[in-house]
Amino acid sequence: MEHIDEFDVQILKQLEQDGRMAYSAIATALGVSNTMVHQRIARLTEQGILTGIKPVLNEKKIGYDWGAFTGITLEKDHDSNRIIDELKKIPEVTECYYITGNYTLYVKIVAKNHEHMRQVLYEKIDNIPGIAKTDSIIELGCAFKRNIML
């Protein structure tokens, strides 16, 4: 585990509130120098603790009204890296996890409507060689989504 101190935690909390916040504003809020904030953010990024600052899109507001969580069973689990590479090529697959249990992989899919979801599942995902079967659960809306609390 990488070491983070109280200043790192406070910087991350500021960025969690507003990822576009200027380093100078963070420095002022914390009573430290701009250089210290810049160095800390660079170190947190190098350590892989901070993996980027990017917009969080509300898919439904941009026309992606359908979401599904899909368990994927592979014919051979050792094919998972190749299959993950193919899943990365499908823009509607927004998350992919290794899991235990009945499936090898679990993905989040977003689609514009039920026909689009059918196309993603049957014409894109099911056509990846090595996928034995999929099992989807339609999501009806996100109650909340957040980062881990620091």
Side-chain angles (χ1 to χ4, degrees):
M1 184 175 121
E2 302 293 343
H3 176 72
I4 62 173
D5 65 17
E6 189 56 34
F7 279 114
D8 295 330
V9 169
Q10 291 305 315
I11 290 168
L12 291 170
K13 283 183 176 181
Q14 293 287 323
L15 291 172
E16 178 75 18
Q17 294 298 313
D18 180 2
R20 297 176 299 174
M21 183 177 246
Y23 291 177
S24 59
I26 296 172
T28 300
L30 301 181
V32 298
S33 71
N34 288 359
T35 303
M36 178 183 173
V37 171
H38 190 308
Q39 290 171 340
R40 292 295 184 107
I41 290 174
R43 183 176 51 78
L44 291 166
T45 302
E46 287 168 17
Q47 292 176 334
I49 294 169
L50 183 62
T51 60
I53 298 172
K54 49 190 158 193
V56 178
L57 301 178
N58 179 335
E59 293 109 352
K60 294 194 183 319
K61 295 268 186 187
I62 57 171
Y64 288 81
D65 287 331
W66 279 63
F69 296 98
T70 300
I72 299 176
T73 304
L74 305 183
E75 291 169 1
K76 297 176 183 166
D77 283 351
H78 69 269
D79 281 346
S80 63
N81 288 337
R82 179 186 56 76
I83 290 168
I84 289 168
D85 287 341
E86 292 300 312
L87 290 167
K88 285 179 183 177
K89 295 176 186 174
I90 303 170
E92 296 90 349
V93 176
T94 59
E95 299 175 49
C96 180
Y97 299 91
Y98 296 103
I99 61 168
T100 62
N102 295 331
Y103 312 111
T104 305
L105 301 171
Y106 209 66
V107 298
K108 171 78 188 284
I109 303 167
V110 296
K112 293 180 178 183
N113 52 45
H114 73 279
E115 179 62 20
H116 185 199
M117 183 65 74
R118 188 198 63 72
Q119 290 173 337
V120 172
L121 285 168
Y122 296 160
E123 297 174 20
K124 294 182 179 183
I125 294 176
D126 283 350
N127 281 331
I128 297 173
I131 291 184
K133 86 173 199 166
T134 61
D135 186 14
S136 296
I137 300 169
I138 300 299
E139 65 100 342
L140 300 175
C142 180
F144 68 89
K145 185 175 183 178
R146 64 180 174 205
N147 286 327
I148 191 73
M149 300 296 280
L150 296 174

